Amino acid sequence: SPHHMRVSPLSSLELHAAQPRAYAAMAAKYYGDGDGDGEQYDVRNDTDVARWAAAWFEHAYSEDLVRRTSLTLTVVRGERPLFTRTHAANAAPGSPEERMLFRIASITKTFTGTAVVLLAERRRFTLDDAVLDVLRRYKADAFADAYADILDGVRVRNLLNHDAGFDETTIGMLARTHDERKTLVDALAASKPHRVAPPRTLTSYSNYGFSVA
């Protein structure tokens, strides 16, 4: 039925490339052997939606993968919240949310995109300028030379639109400990992707593109 979902509490999460076994194991606890015995939830029913959210939150929190970071989940229908719960990784339950540590991850793309557009508004470059030209204009010749093969033909807006044509990977971009952290330039060097399509012909989510931006 289009109004019912027989799903895992994790069904709204994509399998994250960096942790496929962890997410697969979490999903398996709800999918079982795939025979369709998962609990049904009626998406039209506010109580069912809240039950689904609560089950998702409790199971996600039970996994070490999620427990290490703070987590807030709110499910809203229209303007009315159906479910809200918060887990603070670095503070006692009930402590002020402003003290919590959240892994903001790709929310940084919002800041990066805003900064790039502001610079374009100030005429430092245009969104249609070639990335290699902008790099060389601002004395980043070494970087431009090292990445000319994959940045050739790429415009600034392609980095923001995820259509520069890069093959995406997270290997080498993430650090599990403080000591493993790299500078941005070193991280880009360690995870240089292949160009799999000409710019503007393929939309593919790109951490690398935004890192270049």
Side-chain angles (χ1 to χ4, degrees):
S1 164
H3 300 300
H4 288 80
M5 50 187 178
R6 188 188 297 272
V7 295
S8 151
L10 291 177
S11 63
S12 65
L13 290 180
E14 295 178 352
L15 294 182
H16 193 287
Q19 297 287 347
R21 287 178 297 179
Y23 277 127
M26 293 163 77
K29 293 181 181 180
Y30 284 85
Y31 283 120
D33 58 6
D35 60 4
D37 289 337
E39 185 172 0
Q40 280 195 331
Y41 299 90
D42 186 344
V43 297
R44 298 167 299 179
N45 184 292
D46 291 352
T47 300
D48 271 14
V49 172
R51 286 175 50 240
W52 172 86
W56 183 93
F57 191 98
E58 291 302 325
H59 189 65
Y61 170 64
S62 73
E63 296 294 326
D64 186 60
L65 177 66
V66 176
R67 193 185 305 124
R68 296 178 184 179
T69 186
S70 297
L71 174 67
T72 292
L73 174 65
T74 296
V75 179
V76 177
R77 191 192 300 278
E79 297 183 357
R80 184 166 55 89
L82 304 181
F83 175 89
T84 296
R85 192 167 299 173
T86 296
H87 159 64
N90 64 311
S95 61
E97 290 191 12
E98 60 268 19
R99 293 176 49 199
M100 296 179 191
L101 293 178
F102 287 90
R103 183 175 180 270
I104 63 174
S106 287
I107 294 175
T108 56
K109 291 182 174 66
T110 304
F111 310 146
T112 301
T114 300
V116 169
V117 171
L118 287 173
L119 288 171
E121 287 182 348
R122 295 172 185 174
R123 303 182 185 278
R124 304 292 180 86
F125 49 76
T126 75
L127 297 181
D128 288 314
D129 281 352
V131 172
L132 289 174
D133 290 344
V134 176
L135 290 170
R136 293 190 171 106
R137 188 182 313 161
Y138 291 100
K139 312 302 181 185
D141 298 86
F143 186 90
D145 292 342
Y147 298 92
D149 56 333
I150 64 171
L151 292 177
D152 183 46
V154 176
R155 302 176 184 178
V156 175
R157 70 170 65 249
N158 301 138
L159 301 178
L160 305 184
N161 288 342
H162 299 282
D163 63 359
F166 301 140
D167 184 22
E168 180 59 23
T169 178
T170 57
I171 296 174
M173 295 188 74
L174 306 177
R176 295 182 179 274
T177 67
H178 183 85
D179 292 337
E180 291 178 0
R181 294 185 306 166
K182 299 182 178 73
T183 66
L184 178 59
V185 172
D186 288 343
L188 290 173
S191 58
K192 182 179 179 181
H194 297 289
R195 266 272 292 276
V196 296
R200 300 172 293 283
T201 62
L202 172 69
T203 299
S204 178
Y205 190 85
S206 180
N207 291 304
Y208 188 87
F210 259 82
S211 297
V212 173

